[in-house]
Amino acid sequence: MLASLRYERGPRLSAPFGARLRAAMDQRGPLCPGIDPHAALLRAWGLDDTPAGLERFALTAVEALAPVSAVVKPQSAFFERHGSRGIAVLERVLAESRAAGALVLLDVKRGDIGTTAQGYAEAYLDPASSLAADAITVSPFLGFGSVQPFVDAARAHDAGLFVLALTSNPGADQVQHARAMHDRFGSLSVAGTVLAELAALNEGAEPLGSFGAVVGATIGRTEEDLAINGPLLAPGVGAQGGDAEAVARIFGDQVGNVLPSSSREILGAGPSVNALREAAARANDAFRALVV
């Protein structure tokens, strides 16, 4: 049962993130709804773009989505823009989402080196921190070695990482598709090197590794090897154009490890809790059908 995997007494989690994620996906389905309280969505809900409006929006989304989702993905930037009061709301989102049984993937896309990376890792992965999540997104584009403090913290705290690999933002191919000779893997693209490093981190993990890749649901197709024995976060579902057919085409036999992420399409159904939950259920059913 998922509940038996959630927490032990004390600061450590009771199972590695990959095992908890696999159990949550099997129980609740693969959809990872985003909680992205940007100004246009607040206005669409009839809320002011203020800390109070942010709180109303975010906690309504948690009430609707966290009890029925394997994972929720708050975007840190939309909370940070409101300063300390916004961070206080984010802390509540983290705590209340987990209390409702959802894992929390905090979308922060941090990337740095040395002690700075260690500081970020402690902020977002150490259970002693009020901002600690089950997993975070990180950027490897200062070199994969720059994410080592995040890897070490994830291992120490049974947390997870989702490392940017094949994103669909404009200009991404200038970096991600560049090729170089790697001393361990031979000639690979930058994205291919990231995926190979993740596969090495996840080697031997059962039922699923804790180190995932971010691969956009709108990239069309790829020849890169996505068999990393870890989760594959696929942002871009819904309003950005990604759908179940695209996810099936991109991920092929790895589709059972995919977390399709949708934000605007689901959040646009608010502010009704029931309407939000129904929008999430429709999306979840479409992706769940891919692995039945």
Side-chain angles (χ1 to χ4, degrees), residues 198-211:
L198 291 170
L201 289 174
N202 290 324
E203 185 175 1
E206 294 183 359
L208 189 67
S210 296
F211 300 98

Side-chain angles (χ1 to χ4, degrees), residues 106-163:
L106 184 57
D107 196 352
V108 290
K109 297 185 180 70
R110 296 297 190 254
D112 216 309
I113 59 173
T115 55
T116 307
Q118 182 62 42
Y120 284 135
E122 291 171 359
Y124 299 119
L125 297 175
D126 187 336
S129 168
S130 60
L131 286 170
D134 295 283
I136 62 171
T137 55
V138 296
S139 171
F141 297 126
L142 289 175
F144 199 86
S146 67
V147 305
Q148 190 62 47
F150 297 99
V151 171
D152 293 343
R155 284 174 165 160
H157 302 300
D158 287 334
L161 298 179
F162 287 83
V163 184

Side-chain angles (χ1 to χ4, degrees), residues 43-256:
R43 288 193 296 270
W45 283 28
L47 299 171
D48 293 331
D49 185 18
T50 62
L54 168 75
E55 182 175 44
R56 178 71 177 272
F57 181 100
L59 296 183
T60 299
V62 169
E63 179 185 355
L65 302 172
V68 297
S69 301
V71 187
V72 295
K73 182 174 71 67
Q75 168 50 258
S76 182
F78 295 118
F79 297 86
E80 293 174 37
R81 65 187 288 269
H82 290 279
S84 61
R85 291 177 66 188
I87 296 299
V89 174
L90 178 58
E91 291 175 345
R92 288 192 62 189
V93 167
L94 292 164
E96 295 188 21
S97 295
R98 295 167 96 176
L103 300 175
V104 180
L105 165 55
L106 184 57
D107 196 352
V108 290
K109 297 185 180 70
R110 296 297 190 254
D112 216 309
I113 59 173
T115 55
T116 307
Q118 182 62 42
Y120 284 135
E122 291 171 359
Y124 299 119
L125 297 175
D126 187 336
S129 168
S130 60
L131 286 170
D134 295 283
I136 62 171
T137 55
V138 296
S139 171
F141 297 126
L142 289 175
F144 199 86
S146 67
V147 305
Q148 190 62 47
F150 297 99
V151 171
D152 293 343
R155 284 174 165 160
H157 302 300
D158 287 334
L161 298 179
F162 287 83
V163 184
L164 301 180
L166 281 167
T167 66
S168 55
N169 53 292
D173 57 346
Q174 297 172 9
V175 173
Q176 294 166 179
H177 295 170
R179 301 188 71 85
M181 182 62 69
H182 192 282
D183 58 358
R184 291 172 61 199
F185 306 121
S187 179
L188 291 174
S189 67
V190 171
T193 300
V194 171
L195 292 164
E197 293 278 12
L198 291 170
L201 289 174
N202 290 324
E203 185 175 1
E206 294 183 359
L208 189 67
S210 296
F211 300 98
V214 180
V215 178
T218 57
I219 63 170
R221 59 182 69 247
T222 182
E223 300 301 319
E224 302 288 2
D225 185 1
L226 301 178
I228 63 169
N229 189 33
L232 299 159
L233 178 68
V237 166
Q240 292 173 265
D243 57 18
E245 180 180 350
V247 167
R249 180 175 64 249
I250 293 165
F251 293 94
D253 63 2
Q254 296 302 304
V255 73

